[in-house]
Amino acid sequence: MFLEWLPKRIFRMGSLVLALSTFVSSGCQAVATRELDKAARHKDALTKARSDIEQFRKSEFNIRVVDIDGRPVSGAELEIKQISHLFKFGCYLKIDDLDPAKLPAYERDFKNLFNYAVIGSYWDFIESSRGSENWSWFDRETALAGKMGIDVAAAPILWGTSKYGTPEWLPTKSHELWPTLEHRVKTAIKRGPAKADWEVVNEPLAPKTDVFSRTLSDEYISRAFAWAKETAPGKRTIINEYGIFGSVSEHNYNRERYFRLLQNLIARDVPIDIVGIQAHANGEWYGPADVAEELEKYSRLGRPVQITEFSVQTANNEDQTSPMRISGNYQSGLWNNDKQAEFYREFYTIAFANPQVEAIVTWGLDDERAWLAGVGLIDRIGERKPAYRQLDDLINREWKTGLMGTTGKDGRFTSRGFHGKYEVIAKSSKHRSTRQTFDLSRSNAGAWIVRLKS
């Protein structure tokens, strides 16, 4: 009996092992397939982004070279150089705690990359005692931006969820708080350049209680924008919020709340000019396809979008050096300088590809004074990190146009270039060389005439 039973038992056990093996193998294959599909999705998003950059960030220009009488000049040699970007590549400009001896290097590194500077206007810092305002550092930083020829945004006017935006002396009664907020908005927005962008309301949906909405309801938001536009019609207004990007729940909790808030405010004709979205990665490596989807959704609101604060923490705050672990469902491992650079390249590529996005602001230039460990582009000894060099390559080479050309028999030369300001130098053996500047954008087609003198 035993001998008759044993082969059957072995057979059944073998079948079970085979079935389990098949099941495990199928499961592993399914997981592998999902991982491949996920990787392909993000790769496809980056491929599409590079195509969209060509479509949306460049336009055709047509240069016509003529003589003093308007006749075409054939064979004229052209040097075409983009000298500035229309897109706002920005950074938080902060020098109040910078060693004065390091200012020249800081200014050099800042200006080399950026054409847009965000200047802090924190209420508690400017008016720690009621009625006694000190705008000295704001004015100094504004002057520095002007010296560098850089556009300015100021942030924030109202920030009801932070001690930096809520001085201790603030009144708690609504009939006193309303005029206090109105005075703050109207006083602040008058400062800075005539065409400065102003962040009127910052982070109204933060987890901490909004002091202003607790006393005045969310109506303070719409009134603040109305006061700002009434006081300075030429300055553009920004609303700003975080918790939008990422796959980690504690990072993206405002994604739908912020969208619904914006829909409501825009439907009520609240004069919001720019939708601001923060992108502090807090150790997470955002998936390119996920970022593209969120930007596409917010673009449908019909307002320009700015990535108002961008960073990724790469080191632990405790010792400032040990690497952070990468979180999220896209990449894994530990952060280092090379991975920070790769993350910058991916995120900037996706954001730059969306035609509704007009600015990206990295939140801090140097690690020495960074708000979180390792977020800077300059290390603690003043050397440019790989992320800085990556941005330098994108902003000053890959996404910047420079070329030579020769006019045809009709005196024309046609090509495509990134949007911005251009310098064109035209030379001919029979004429004096001429240097002219032109602007190229989606709305300003490049039909440029260069007139040579004998």
Side-chain angles (χ1 to χ4, degrees):
M1 291 289 293
F2 176 77
L3 292 177
E4 292 179 358
W5 169 83
L6 185 59
K8 295 178 182 179
R9 181 77 171 187
I10 293 173
F11 176 78
R12 290 175 186 147
M13 290 178 65
S15 299
L16 178 60
V17 169
L18 179 62
L20 286 172
S21 175
T22 303
F23 176 79
V24 170
S25 176
S26 300
C28 290
Q29 289 176 0
V31 170
T33 300
R34 286 196 297 270
E35 290 299 314
L36 287 172
D37 289 345
K38 181 176 70 175
R41 176 170 167 265
H42 295 301
K43 183 179 179 181
D44 289 347
L46 288 166
T47 300
K48 182 179 184 301
R50 287 187 282 270
S51 175
D52 287 345
I53 287 171
E54 287 293 315
Q55 179 181 353
F56 298 121
R57 296 300 179 185
K58 298 175 78 173
S59 290
E60 182 176 290
F61 58 82
N62 184 301
I63 300 173
R64 182 168 174 257
V65 180
V66 299
D67 63 16
I68 195 69
D69 297 317
R71 293 171 297 197
V73 177
S74 63
E77 297 179 358
L78 300 173
E79 181 181 348
I80 303 156
K81 182 181 180 181
Q82 184 180 356
I83 56 179
S84 66
H85 286 279
L86 178 63
F87 190 88
K88 298 176 185 294
F89 293 103
C91 186
Y92 180 34
L93 179 64
K94 186 178 187 294
I95 61 170
D96 62 293
D97 58 349
L98 178 69
D99 181 349
K102 297 180 179 180
L103 181 58
Y106 183 85
E107 182 179 337
R108 178 200 65 215
D109 290 332
F110 198 102
K111 185 179 179 180
N112 179 59
L113 288 186
F114 304 116
N115 60 0
Y116 192 49
V118 174
I119 297 171
S121 57
Y122 303 101
W123 197 354
D124 185 58
F125 184 72
I126 288 169
E127 193 180 3
S128 58
S129 299
R130 187 171 192 176
S132 179
E133 298 183 4
N134 183 351
W135 291 86
S136 60
W137 277 111
F138 179 90
D139 293 338
R140 289 183 200 180
E141 290 170 359
T142 300
L144 177 60
K147 176 188 173 185
M148 293 188 289
I150 289 173
D151 290 338
V152 167
I157 296 180
L158 298 182
W159 188 10
T161 55
S162 169
K163 64 180 181 180
Y164 301 112
T166 54
E168 291 184 357
W169 55 261
L170 275 177
T172 58
K173 304 295 184 182
S174 61
H175 70 279
E176 295 176 335
L177 188 55
W178 275 122
T180 302
L181 296 191
E182 181 177 4
H183 179 267
R184 162 66 176 171
V185 171
K186 291 183 174 181
T187 299
I189 203 165
K190 291 177 183 177
R191 304 195 74 89
K195 292 186 178 181
D197 297 336
W198 267 94
E199 184 182 284
V200 178
V201 174
N202 184 44
E203 299 177 2
L205 301 176
K208 297 179 182 178
T209 302
D210 187 332
V211 172
F212 307 139
S213 65
R214 183 178 64 201
T215 306
L216 307 174
S217 81
D218 288 346
E219 178 62 22
Y220 90 87
I221 299 174
S222 55
R223 288 202 195 182
F225 279 94
W227 293 329
K229 190 60 69 174
E230 170 191 328
T231 306
K235 294 186 178 182
R236 300 193 306 165
T237 59
I238 306 172
I239 188 170
N240 191 41
E241 190 53 89
Y242 72 102
I244 311 302
F245 295 113
S247 60
V248 181
S249 58
E250 58 263 36
H251 296 168
N252 64 22
Y253 48 84
N254 277 330
R255 180 176 295 169
E256 297 304 325
R257 293 176 66 207
Y258 188 40
F259 189 76
R260 290 194 298 269
L261 173 65
L262 290 169
Q263 283 181 311
N264 179 270
L265 293 171
I266 291 171
R268 291 162 48 202
D269 293 323
V270 175
I272 297 170
D273 296 317
I274 301 163
V275 171
I277 304 176
Q278 296 180 30
H280 294 301
N282 299 117
E284 181 175 358
W285 192 321
Y286 298 146
D290 301 330
V291 174
E293 287 179 3
E294 287 305 313
L295 290 177
E296 177 61 29
K297 180 177 74 175
Y298 278 87
S299 294
R300 293 196 292 270
L301 292 168
R303 298 287 189 277
V305 174
Q306 290 193 9
I307 305 300
T308 48
E309 302 177 30
F310 174 74
S311 70
V312 56
Q313 183 178 358
T314 60
N316 286 294
N317 286 325
E318 289 75 15
D319 60 11
Q320 302 288 307
T321 56
S322 59
M324 286 272 289
R325 183 163 295 280
I326 297 171
S327 61
N329 60 10
Y330 172 53
Q331 300 282 14
S332 60
L334 297 175
W335 282 106
N336 58 38
N337 287 342
D338 290 333
K339 290 180 179 178
Q340 181 194 29
E342 186 180 350
F343 175 69
Y344 261 76
R345 183 179 184 88
E346 287 186 351
F347 189 93
Y348 269 66
T349 299
I350 293 294
F352 190 55
N354 187 304
Q356 205 69 13
V357 177
E358 65 167 32
I360 310 173
V361 177
T362 193
W363 204 247
L365 183 62
D366 57 289
D367 276 344
E368 184 179 14
R369 301 172 304 125
W371 73 292
L372 291 174
V375 303
L377 303 175
I378 306 293
D379 68 20
R380 288 179 169 274
I381 61 172
E383 297 294 328
R384 295 176 175 180
K385 294 165 65 176
Y388 185 102
R389 297 195 295 272
Q390 185 65 259
L391 288 187
D392 188 28
D393 183 59
L394 290 175
I395 295 170
N396 292 320
R397 281 172 285 281
E398 187 172 330
W399 294 341
K400 203 168 193 178
T401 302
L403 50 89
M404 309 291 288
T406 304
T407 58
K409 292 181 180 180
D410 57 356
R412 296 181 185 274
F413 176 82
T414 300
S415 188
R416 283 175 60 82
F418 286 98
H419 299 148
K421 185 175 289 293
Y422 281 76
E423 178 183 79
V424 177
I425 300 174
K427 300 176 182 179
S428 170
S429 59
K430 298 180 181 179
H431 304 85
R432 286 182 287 172
S433 64
T434 297
R435 184 189 308 263
Q436 290 181 227
T437 57
F438 303 94
D439 293 310
L440 181 65
S441 67
R442 293 176 70 191
S443 60
N444 181 24
W448 305 336
I449 298 176
V450 177
R451 196 175 298 275
L452 295 178
K453 295 181 181 180
S454 301

